[in-house]
Amino acid sequence: MKILDGKKISNDIKDEISKEVNEILKSSGKQPHLAAILVGNNGASQTYVNAKVKACERVGFKSTLIRLDENISQNILLNEIEKVNNNEDIDGLIVQLPLPKNFDESLVTNSILSSKDVDGFHPLNVGNMVLNLPTFISATPAGIIELISRYNIETSGKNCVVVGRSNIVGSPMSILMSRNTNPGNATVTLAHSRTTNLKELCLKADILIVALGKANFITADMVKDGACVIDVGISRVKSEITKSGWKLIGDVNFSEVSQKCSFITPVPGGVGPMTIAMLLKNTLLASKSKI
Ligand code: GUN
């Protein structure tokens, strides 16, 4: 069994981005610039946004973090988005999800200029992704594709089961794995909460991608010998071993499943760091398209 080391690969990608930023700075003086809007005090969202800001520093990007109170009206948020849309210095904008209740997430996402939508959530970018046209592909599925590619995992003609149909991960993942590209060309099944024969389907998967948000949900009896297992889940559970009293675990029961599979992503250190690296890559792309 081989670990798919997202931490290492994401560091390689960040090094590649840093080099390119230095070259761009020398030739045009333009520093890529990412803006992030965080509404409210969701602990996990704060952690993710801080990690994104830190990653910007690491690769030489400018970053702007806009924090808004959770009690603001939706119009105030839409005004902030409009300001960033009109700010020529800012190349990419993300609004961290989930938003507090009372916000219309799809209206908010659709208000971001598609050319600055480095999360790839805007309908225009989702549509381009489905049609295999140049676009911003959302960072988590793009990170998984990059990980599969850099470890030379064969996907063509393989059975791929994606568990979870979210707009951010499961749904785009199923499209990327089925399209005529490499990685891709897999026969894809998208399983979800109404799927009745999940274990049977998972047992047929050469590549199993799990994005469900249920800690330790996938057990060894659900996994084919030699499968490649990608775990997108991150749940915070109590721990008596760690200093903080908490630990992060994925949707896959790692200790069991790792005995059976050929490749597996750890949690933490698998898909998570890849997501941030791909967000940076999209921001660089946004910045370059203006140079
Ligand atoms: N919440 C969970 N994942 C993401 C992501 O990739 N982007 C944004 N904006 N919010 C998220």
Side-chain angles (χ1 to χ4, degrees):
M1 181 275 300
K2 197 162 178 182
I3 297 280
L4 297 173
D5 189 346
K7 202 163 173 201
K8 182 199 171 291
I9 301 291
S10 71
N11 272 322
D12 293 347
I13 293 170
K14 285 180 195 162
D15 287 343
E16 292 159 18
I17 294 173
S18 286
K19 256 194 211 157
E20 223 177 303
V21 170
N22 282 334
E23 280 159 23
I24 292 170
L25 272 172
K26 265 189 230 150
S27 63
S28 73
K30 169 81 180 91
Q31 190 178 15
H33 187 174
L34 174 70
I37 299 182
L38 174 62
V39 185
N41 299 307
N42 179 307
S45 292
Q46 289 182 59
T47 307
Y48 295 141
V49 169
N50 289 339
K52 290 171 186 179
V53 168
K54 217 172 124 195
C56 283
E57 274 169 37
R58 152 87 159 77
V59 298
F61 288 2
K62 249 198 265 184
S63 65
T64 299
L65 173 59
I66 300 163
R67 292 205 61 162
L68 300 171
D69 191 90
E70 74 175 340
N71 297 317
I72 57 148
S73 72
Q74 181 157 284
N75 274 340
I76 291 190
L77 173 57
L78 294 176
N79 272 337
E80 286 297 328
I81 292 173
E82 191 58 23
K83 276 194 242 166
V84 177
N85 282 343
N86 294 327
N87 183 333
E88 297 242 319
D89 189 60
I90 297 177
D91 304 297
L93 166 63
I94 60 166
V95 176
Q96 188 64 28
L97 303 179
L99 286 167
K101 280 182 279 176
N102 308 326
F103 286 88
D104 178 345
E105 278 189 0
S106 77
L107 177 71
V108 168
T109 303
N110 298 0
S111 307
I112 297 172
L113 208 60
S114 63
S115 57
K116 296 193 179 189
D117 166 43
V118 287
D119 259 330
F121 294 166
H122 191 284
L124 197 71
N125 289 325
V126 176
N128 283 334
M129 184 269 297
V130 172
L131 297 171
N132 201 4
L133 295 170
T135 190
F136 299 117
I137 296 177
S138 58
T140 302
I144 293 169
I145 292 288
E146 191 72 21
L147 208 49
I148 289 174
S149 168
R150 292 201 184 213
Y151 278 91
N152 290 316
I153 294 165
E154 183 60 78
T155 57
S156 178
K158 302 290 182 189
N159 284 330
C160 173
V161 174
V162 179
V163 185
R165 59 177 157 188
S166 68
N167 287 341
I168 295 183
V169 188
S171 172
M173 200 66 243
S174 68
I175 290 160
L176 295 173
M177 290 299 285
S178 61
R179 69 187 193 179
N180 186 3
T181 50
N182 181 30
N185 281 314
T187 305
V188 179
T189 306
L190 181 57
H192 46 74
S193 53
R194 303 282 175 96
T195 298
T196 51
N197 55 342
L198 185 64
K199 180 176 169 182
E200 208 177 289
L201 289 173
C202 288
L203 276 168
K204 293 205 173 108
D206 303 303
I207 300 156
L208 180 61
I209 302 173
V210 194
L212 201 65
K214 288 191 180 170
N216 282 333
F217 181 83
I218 299 288
T219 43
D221 59 327
M222 299 169 82
V223 177
K224 182 176 172 177
D225 277 323
C228 165
V229 180
I230 310 280
D231 188 352
V232 186
I234 305 181
S235 302
R236 211 165 71 121
V237 296
K238 284 197 170 142
S239 164
E240 280 163 14
I241 304 163
T242 60
K243 248 198 234 167
S244 64
W246 296 96
K247 67 171 180 173
L248 296 177
I249 54 171
D251 289 351
V252 175
N253 187 321
F254 185 90
S255 57
E256 279 182 32
V257 172
S258 58
Q259 313 282 325
K260 256 190 125 173
C261 59
S262 57
F263 293 94
I264 189 165
T265 56
V267 176
V271 174
M274 291 302 294
T275 297
I276 295 189
M278 300 317 280
L279 174 68
L280 298 173
K281 244 185 150 175
N282 278 346
T283 306
L284 183 62
L285 193 69
S287 162
K288 284 200 301 193
S289 67
K290 282 200 284 184
I291 289 168

